[in-house]
Each structure stands twice: as structure tokens, then as C-alpha cells.
Amino acid sequence: MAAYLINRILQWIPVLLISSIIVFAVVRAMPGDPADIIAGPDATQADVQRIRAEYGLDRSLPVQYMAWLRHMGRGDFGVSYIYHRDNSELIFSRLPFSLLIAATSLLTALIFGVPFGLAAGLGEGKIIDWGASLFSSLAVATPGFWLGMLGIMLFAVKLGWLPPGGLTSTDESVFGFLCSLVLPTLTLGLHGAAVLMRSTRNAVIETLGESYIRTARAKGLRHRTLVYHHVLRNSMLPIVTMTGVLLGRMLGGAVVIESVFAWPGIGRLLVQSIINRDYGMVQGILIILVLFFLALNLVVDLLYGAIDPRIRLTGSHR
């Protein structure tokens, strides 16, 4: 297992290197010059040139990339052009709020998606299957930002039950903190529930068609035992795969949702940094997201081994 983990982590190096090149190229392709934004509208051309030299923006792109790569290799994310603070300090102060939204949204998706997907798979062709399919189709087709705006209009503006956005500190009010979580969590979680529902339904239907399920039924195995010990357990691999994919999607989708709900996470910070052409901040956030996805894939692979010992033996052998 230790050799497998070391091998997987070493495989991250070329992925991170290629990702850093893509991130750097995409960020530098953004229109606009950060020196103009830093200098302000009343600055002279000499002021802009001085700022470009101060931040190394007057150097060639390969030189800028190598300098950034050296700093990143030492764990130095640089200093924000706009906030005048360490990028790493800002990123890691905002990251827990994005992870909180992603975690609560994933929990919501699991609570609703897996049980209803299981029921739809067991009742293929019945009313519950039609209802689950209709809900999943509508939820997947509905844009997250539009669903979020509807939630704000209904529950915040019209009914006044929930805050329209922002984050209430736990020091101020624990209940207010929980209320501020509801709308962004449901906005991300309902889409995830629909995806998990569809994935679980398909996995259950496929498992029900296996020969060992027919054999278990022929032996008179109780329905509950058949469902929980055979059908659900053998359907877990695609469910775990989709759960890992969803967690990554939710953290990535937080870019939009955090902007809609004024949530103080890295998604909103990323949008603000793109608008302000804060190159170092944008690059740092994107690299952190790449690392998160790599770690998430590793965790999903390890979970495969915990669910199916045959996969664990294959992974250890490699």
C-alpha cells in the first residue's frame, strides 16, 4: 500500500507541471494589463511602466513562468497585486468556507440521491421511477445560478425566511450561521442529488440483472437482506465514483454559487481576482484546485479497495 501511494503521488508531478503551464498560459491570455489596474485611471505611462518593472511584468513570459514555478516549488504563492497580502494567506483563509459548502452540499446529495435512486432502481418502470427520472432531468437541466436566484427571490425576498447571501459568524449567531448555509447548500446539493439519483438507479438496475441476484432470490433470501447486502453493496463502486466527481464539481461550481450568494470562499475570490487581473492569486487558486482534484482521485481509488478487496490487491501489486 505504501509503495502504491508513493507511486501515485509521484505521478502527480508531471500532471502538476502540465497544469501549471496551462494555468499560466490561460491566465496570461486574459485581456487587460494588471499594471493599469494597480496604477489607477490617473496614472501616467511612466507610472505604469514602473509598476510593470516592479512586479516583473515587463519580463518575457518564459522568464515569468520559471520565476513563478520556482516560487511555487518553495511553497511561495507570491503577494497579491490588489490585496497586498500573501496569496497563500488569503487562499487558505477562504478555502475552509468553500469546503464547507461543498461538504454540506455533498451530504445533501447523498441523503436524497442514494435512497431515491435505490428506490427508483428497485421499482423500475413504476411511479417512483418516473418521478425520480423527472426530478433528475429537471434538476440537471436547471442552471445553478438561476436556481440560486429563484431561491433568493422566494425564501429571502418574498417569504423572508432565509438571508439572501453572505455569511453570519458563529460568534454572532449559530442559528444565523446555519440559515446562511441553507440556500447555497440546497442550490448545489439538489443538482448533486439528481446526478447521484440517476447514477444509483442505473447501478441498481444493472446489479439486479446479475445471475447471483437471481440465485439469491431463488434461494428465498429476504428482500431486505438482498437489497442491502447484495444489491446496494455491489452498486457502490459507481456511486463512490460519482460521489468523488460530484465533490470536485461542487468545489468548482462554488465559483458561480459563491458569487450569487456573496459567500466568502475561494470561488468568489477567484472571480474578483480575474476581474482585477491579479495573476498570482488566480494561478495560486487554480493550482490548489488541481491538487484537490488529484487528492480526491486518490481517495476514491483507496475507497475502491475498501469496498472490493480484489481492487485493493490489484492496486497493491502495481
Side-chain angles (χ1 to χ4, degrees):
M1 179 62 71
Y4 174 70
L5 288 174
I6 293 173
N7 183 51
R8 285 297 302 273
I9 293 174
L10 288 176
Q11 291 175 7
W12 291 4
I13 297 175
V15 176
L16 285 172
L17 184 60
I18 295 172
S19 299
S20 69
I21 295 173
I22 295 173
V23 165
F24 183 87
V26 169
V27 170
R28 288 305 193 277
M30 293 190 304
D33 188 345
D36 290 330
I37 298 175
I38 298 170
D42 299 326
T44 63
Q45 189 61 32
D47 293 332
V48 174
Q49 290 299 330
R50 178 180 54 80
I51 291 173
R52 287 180 59 82
E54 180 181 348
Y55 287 97
L57 297 172
D58 58 340
R59 295 181 289 179
S60 65
L61 291 181
V63 172
Q64 290 185 50
Y65 169 73
M66 292 306 299
W68 173 63
L69 194 63
R70 285 195 300 270
H71 286 292
M72 289 293 292
R74 298 195 297 266
D76 180 8
F77 285 65
V79 178
S80 169
Y81 301 156
I82 306 302
Y83 299 99
H84 304 291
R85 292 171 57 188
D86 286 344
N87 289 325
S88 58
E89 179 186 343
L90 277 170
I91 292 171
F92 288 109
S93 66
R94 299 284 191 96
L95 184 59
F97 297 107
S98 294
L99 292 176
L100 175 62
I101 286 293
T104 54
S105 300
L106 182 64
L107 181 61
T108 301
L110 288 169
I111 290 174
F112 290 99
V114 174
F116 282 102
L118 175 62
L122 294 173
E124 182 184 8
K126 298 180 180 179
I127 294 178
I128 189 169
D129 185 23
W130 284 98
S133 298
L134 178 62
F135 166 77
S136 62
S137 298
L138 289 174
V140 169
T142 303
F145 71 89
W146 187 73
L147 186 62
M149 295 301 296
L150 284 181
I152 292 173
M153 291 296 296
L154 177 60
F155 295 105
V157 177
K158 188 172 183 179
L159 298 176
W161 292 352
L162 297 169
L167 173 64
T168 302
S169 172
T170 52
D171 297 333
E172 183 180 345
S173 172
V174 174
F175 180 73
F177 171 77
L178 295 176
C179 286
S180 61
L181 272 173
V182 173
L183 282 179
T185 293
L186 288 180
T187 302
L188 278 175
L190 286 178
H191 179 272
V195 174
L196 264 181
M197 191 181 300
R198 183 178 294 178
S199 178
T200 304
R201 173 190 178 275
N202 294 337
V204 168
I205 290 174
E206 183 179 350
T207 303
L208 287 172
E210 298 290 342
S211 57
Y212 61 85
I213 297 296
R214 293 193 293 270
T215 302
R217 280 175 171 167
K219 290 181 178 180
L221 197 66
R222 289 189 306 170
H223 180 72
R224 177 174 295 184
T225 303
L226 178 70
V227 170
Y228 290 102
H229 289 275
H230 294 277
V231 176
L232 186 58
R233 181 171 182 178
N234 287 284
S235 302
M236 284 303 295
L237 287 182
I239 294 174
V240 168
T241 301
M242 186 51 65
T243 301
V245 171
L246 276 178
L247 183 57
R249 280 187 189 176
M250 287 171 177
L251 190 60
V255 172
V256 176
I257 298 304
E258 288 177 7
S259 297
V260 171
F261 293 101
W263 189 261
I266 60 170
R268 190 180 178 206
L269 179 63
L270 177 61
V271 172
Q272 293 170 338
S273 299
I274 291 174
I275 293 173
N276 293 319
R277 308 298 187 272
D278 197 346
Y279 289 163
M281 182 68 76
V282 175
Q283 292 166 184
I285 293 174
L286 292 178
I287 289 297
I288 290 295
L289 290 177
V290 171
L291 277 170
F292 177 81
F293 292 139
L294 289 173
L296 188 59
N297 286 332
L298 178 58
V299 171
V300 169
D301 287 346
L302 294 176
L303 286 176
Y304 282 171
I307 295 170
D308 191 338
R310 293 171 298 179
I311 297 178
R312 182 169 65 246
L313 290 174
T314 303
S316 298
H317 177 72
R318 287 187 300 175

